[in-house]
Amino acid sequence: MIATQRPKIELLRRELVEKIVDEALTLLERHGVMVENAEALSLLAGAGAAVETATQIVRPGRRLVEDCLASTPPTVTLYDRTGDKAFVVGGDEVHFDPGSAAVTILDPGTLEERKAVTADLVAFVKLVETLEHIHFQSTGLIASDVPAAISDAYRLYVGLRLAAKPFVTGTFRVEGFRPMKDLLAAVRGGEDALRRKPLAIFDACPSPPLKWSSLTAQSLVDAARAGIPSELISMGMTGATSPATIAGTLVQHVAENLCGLVICQVARRGAPVIFGGSPSSFDMRKGTTPMGAIETMMIDAAYAQIGKFLNLPTHAYMALSDSKVNDPQAGFETALGAVLGALAGVNVISGPGMLDFESAQSLEKLVIDDGICAMVYRLLEGVAQRDEPLALGVFEGFAPGLSFLSHPHTRQWYRKEHIRPGLVDRDPYDAWVAAGRTTIVDKARADVQRRIGSYATPPLDRSVGKELDAVMAAYGRASGVDMPAGLFAGPGPD
């Protein structure tokens, strides 16, 4: 088979990419970024950045930024829980993960959002593990029945107990990073092994415009030293917390992310960093941040192009919807975002399962979205030349009435050329009516129950399970949480 041409899109001329990067560097040098973290400020000053201690303003010069870019790896490799399956994050590789961290879940019975509890988190992790086209887990739900002081590590703890896929996660508290790192190290077999084979990505979000908080800056420092990839999530909102124009927002986005990258590199040269984000077009009429807006997707695709220009792995929040239920809006916004993100070559696309401006998760949407992701991966495979000649050989001995239904060529190639994506309806109308007029949401509800009901947890060494339990219990005690008996019974290995 002759290699295919991978379909791609680029929104920016090369000259505009260079101008955006140049203005971002000038913005850093001239106006700077506030960094509300003493350790990060000290590291930046030691690396030669201009630091105003009183205002916490940092002005990293071009030479420092360019040096830090040169030391940042162009790809990141994640490994699953076994350490055997690798996922390359970089180039044009595309991986989907559910968005995080949702504060509500869409109840399939009432179609109302409600706060998630541990049982929902367990179901979520199990379901994601069964979805072939969603490569990474995420700590995508916050369990409201767990004290907030430990909820960051608890999400990861549940996931590591139940799943083998790599994780996209992040910490809510400065104190939360250490136990989360310890959980990952327990699974991997030590901190050195975790550094060699990362099991998770840590999201860290600057506060627009032009600020890194104490929490997120500390996460960058801690993750860099542990060899854990940091995913930079700039979140400018056009006309609200970033310039109203897409190009102007891109300048701010690049400046914020480059500052984060510098913090990582001055903490540990060569630290893995992913150039990502969750920016949005701001809706002035409603005061909302529509992630399904075409302008939001354009910002995402454009900064991904800039990330590739800078030779960095990329991330974006796409393949999600602002709709409140699984309706046509949810479908078209999710599919459009998934296609555009993949064609832009975004390496980590966070969003499947998400509704309501990134605030809600839907298990039913997750299985529907897995089918969308399947179609996206088929698109990325492109059009292959399977035969030489392309088709002339099939027509040898041609006679009127030739049917390809039983032709050997069809048997040879049909399954390789055509997929059956998830739960889509391709029945004739009469068959659909006879089957009860089932919608894709109906099928998704049943599929969720089938998948969770038949789920078998990947094997976990008993000693590793005990170490995970001990780390979680110690974090609870250190956080002043009275750990109730049976807290960990739900997400056990069986």
Side-chain angles (χ1 to χ4, degrees), residues 31 35 46 56 153 161 189 206 268 274 294 306 312 334 345 406 437:
H31 298 288
V35 178
Q56 299 180 310
R161 268 296 202 166
R268 177 178 169 269
I274 299 171
I294 189 62
I306 296 168
L312 297 170
T334 298
S406 59
R437 302 174 183 263

Side-chain angles (χ1 to χ4, degrees), residues 89 95 97 136 168 201 231 274 314-316 346-350:
V89 178
H95 307 284
D97 74 274
F136 301 157
V168 179
I201 293 167
E231 199 160 69
I274 299 171
T314 57
H315 159 275
V346 178
N347 302 134
V348 180
I349 300 178
S350 299

